[in-house]
């Protein structure tokens, strides 16, 4: 940086002077990255003190009654009980929301998405705001609205086709949905270009990229959570519960037995917690999957009844939720003295979900830890005492949601007749009649329908 200033002092042309000013104004040290040397990541939580005031660093918003009840305990045990009590409260709230049904779950996912977006954007805004440049926060929220409009519009078109067909304004919005979404995004893009300020171009593009990466991490994956929910509440409940269980069990195993550090990004994570959490989570996921597979309200896809204008979860359970008999390998037969075992296929799927949630899912948390260390903050926010912000609790959930969505599409879900029917209903009558005759001929050729002459008799 000093060398750049010296070069700028000579008889440089105006363009080079502007470039030097840009580098001075937009340098990485102004973004809080100057001290991010390799050795700094090796430190403990003391290195997480921010260079600029962030409310996430040292603020204690633990309820006063809880502080008084635990005031005589050592800090380690006090934090243990605070985390435990708040974890039980959040789990109880999760069960209550499940009881309230799909609409409540969708609203909660949207609320969590907005809060996570706000926490990440606020970190960037605290750096960006010091330059008093226009529109960054406004444009960030505008892009959030645009992306949500696109994704939720796609969801409405896919799962609420009967409602769309019944309402003429919705037909127009569904037909031109992607064009409208692109036009909205284009308006925000133009607003960003118009907001560019000389000598701060690079910083503004940093923040533009910041917003879009946040949208990719938070909004896109929260949309996948809702997609999983529509496949059946079990695809929503089990993956989320797996991550919660792994988080709790890894913490408990690490708290009581942890000796060997796992990764430098998270000094408190241990191999004992990682391995113990894995085995506990696989067992928990298997048992939970077995129990929930017995209830129709959990295994049926969430649908929309156009007559009652309400969500429905009634169906004939698919094969993966029907009890099957499996022959055990010879080794297990000799050990357990069982030749066969009756299981729901979904319980077997849960082993793969649990393995991912335990072995790969924590890397979402490690990624978040690296992000926080880069900006010298302890937590994304201080929303939940002992836990940090909402994003601190959901960093692994988003990665798990993406895997679940990919897993369903790759190994579970087949063609969806309801979606095909919705597409057919959008066609012109002549096109529908042509498809009808083609399908009729195809079924006759396969012997499913009687020949035309027999049918006429």
């Amino acid at each position: 940086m000093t060398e750049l200033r010296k070069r700028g002092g000579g008889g440089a042309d105006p363009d080079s002077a502007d470039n030097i000013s840009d580098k001075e104004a937009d340098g990485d040290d102004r973004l809080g990255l100057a001290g991010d040397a390799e050795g700094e990541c090796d430190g403990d939580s003391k290195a997480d003190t921010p260079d600029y005031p962030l409310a996430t660093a040292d603020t204690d918003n633990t309820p006063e009654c809880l502080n008084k009840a635990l005031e005589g305990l050592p800090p380690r045990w006090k934090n243990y009980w605070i985390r435990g009590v708040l974890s039980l409260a959040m789990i109880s709230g999760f069960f209550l929301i499940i009881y309230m049904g799909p609409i409540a779950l969708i609203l909660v996912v949207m609320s969590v998405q907005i809060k996570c977006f706000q926490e990440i954007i606020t970190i960037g805004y605290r750096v960006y705001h010091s330059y008093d440049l226009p529109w960054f926060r406004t444009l960030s929220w505008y892009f959030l609205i645009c992306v949500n409009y696109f994704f939720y519009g796609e969801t409405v078109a896919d799962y609420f086709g009967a409602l769309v067909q019944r309402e003429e304004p919705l037909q127009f919005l569904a037909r031109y949905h992607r064009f409208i979404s692109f036009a909205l995004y284009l308006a925000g893009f133009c607003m960003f270009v118009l907001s560019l300020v000389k000598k701060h171009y690079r910083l503004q593009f940093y923040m533009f990229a910041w917003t879009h990466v946040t949208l990719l991490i938070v909004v896109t994956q929260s949309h996948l959570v809702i997609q999983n929910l529509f496949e059946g509440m079990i695809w929503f409940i089990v993956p989320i519960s797996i991550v919660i269980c792994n988080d709790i069990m890894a913490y408990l195993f690490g708290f009581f037995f942890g000796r060997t550090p796992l990764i430098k990004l998270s000094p408190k994570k241990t191999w004992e917690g990682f391995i113990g959490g894995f085995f506990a989570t696989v067992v928990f996921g298997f048992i939970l999957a077995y129990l929930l597979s017995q209830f129709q309200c959990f295994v049926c896809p969430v649908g929309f009844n156009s007559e009652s204008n309400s969500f429905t979860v009634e169906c004939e359970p698919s094969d993966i939720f029907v009890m099957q008999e499996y022959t055990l390998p010879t080794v297990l037969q000799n050990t357990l003295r069982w030749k066969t075992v009756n299981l729901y296929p979904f319980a077997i799927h849960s082993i793969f979900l649990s393995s991912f949630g335990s072995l790969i899912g924590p890397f979402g948390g490690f990624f978040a830890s690296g992000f926080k260390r880069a900006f010298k903050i302890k937590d994304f926010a201080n929303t939940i005492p002992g836990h940090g912000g909402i994003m601190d609790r959901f960093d692994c959930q988003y990665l798990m949601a993406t895997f679940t969505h990919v897993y369903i599409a790759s190994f579970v879900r087949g063609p969806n007749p309801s979606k095909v029917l919705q597409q057919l209903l959008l066609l012109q009558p002549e096109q529908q009649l042509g498809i009808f005759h083609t399908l009729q001929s195809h079924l006759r050729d396969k012997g499913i329908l009687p020949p035309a002459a027999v049918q006429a008799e």
Side-chain angles (χ1 to χ4, degrees), residues 1 70 77 86 141 143 167 188 219 275 282 345 398-399 413 426:
M1 189 68 74
L70 303 174
W77 281 96
L86 269 297
W141 288 101
F143 283 126
E167 303 292 337
V219 183
I275 296 171
V282 170
Y398 285 128
L399 196 61
R413 183 173 53 205
L426 295 174

Side-chain angles (χ1 to χ4, degrees), residues 179-311:
F179 180 81
I180 294 171
S181 300
F182 177 71
L184 290 172
Y185 176 83
L186 205 57
F189 178 80
C190 294
M191 289 168 63
F192 167 75
V193 173
L194 292 174
S195 72
L196 291 173
V197 177
K198 189 176 182 181
K199 298 184 180 180
H200 300 306
Y201 296 143
R202 187 169 64 175
L203 175 65
Q204 290 183 280
F205 278 102
Y206 282 160
M207 297 300 103
F208 185 76
W210 184 296
T211 299
H212 281 67
V213 171
T214 305
L215 291 172
L216 177 65
I217 293 173
V218 176
V219 183
T220 305
Q221 297 186 74
S222 65
H223 170 69
L224 298 182
V225 174
I226 294 177
Q227 293 283 307
N228 298 340
L229 172 62
F230 279 108
E231 294 295 328
M233 290 178 64
I234 196 168
W235 291 105
F236 176 88
I237 296 170
V238 170
I240 287 180
S241 300
I242 283 171
V243 173
I244 294 172
C245 174
N246 181 252
D247 191 32
I248 293 172
M249 299 310 297
Y251 176 77
L252 291 177
F253 275 94
F255 186 87
F256 290 107
F257 309 109
R259 296 291 182 273
T260 313
L262 175 63
I263 187 170
K264 291 181 179 179
L265 281 173
S266 296
K268 293 183 180 180
K269 298 289 193 302
T270 63
W271 276 105
E272 291 82 1
F274 185 75
I275 296 171
F278 166 72
F279 286 107
T281 302
V282 170
V283 173
F284 169 82
F286 186 87
I287 295 173
L288 181 65
Y290 185 89
L291 293 175
L292 295 186
S293 295
Q294 304 175 44
F295 299 96
Q296 189 182 67
C297 60
F298 292 125
V299 304
C300 289
V302 178
F304 182 78
N305 190 325
S306 58
E307 296 180 0
S308 60
N309 287 330
S310 62
F311 288 99

Side-chain angles (χ1 to χ4, degrees), residues 365-415:
F366 301 152
F367 177 86
S369 295
F371 179 89
K372 288 182 285 187
R373 283 183 171 273
F375 290 92
K376 302 182 178 66
I377 57 175
K378 183 178 180 182
D379 298 309
F380 283 96
N382 58 354
T383 309
I384 311 170
H387 292 269
I390 298 295
M391 190 65 199
D392 291 288
R393 293 297 90 212
F394 284 85
D395 46 12
C396 300
Q397 293 287 4
Y398 285 128
L399 196 61
M400 186 69 187
T402 304
F403 173 76
T404 303
H405 184 80
V406 172
Y407 188 88
I408 293 172
S410 302
F411 304 108
V412 177
R413 183 173 53 205

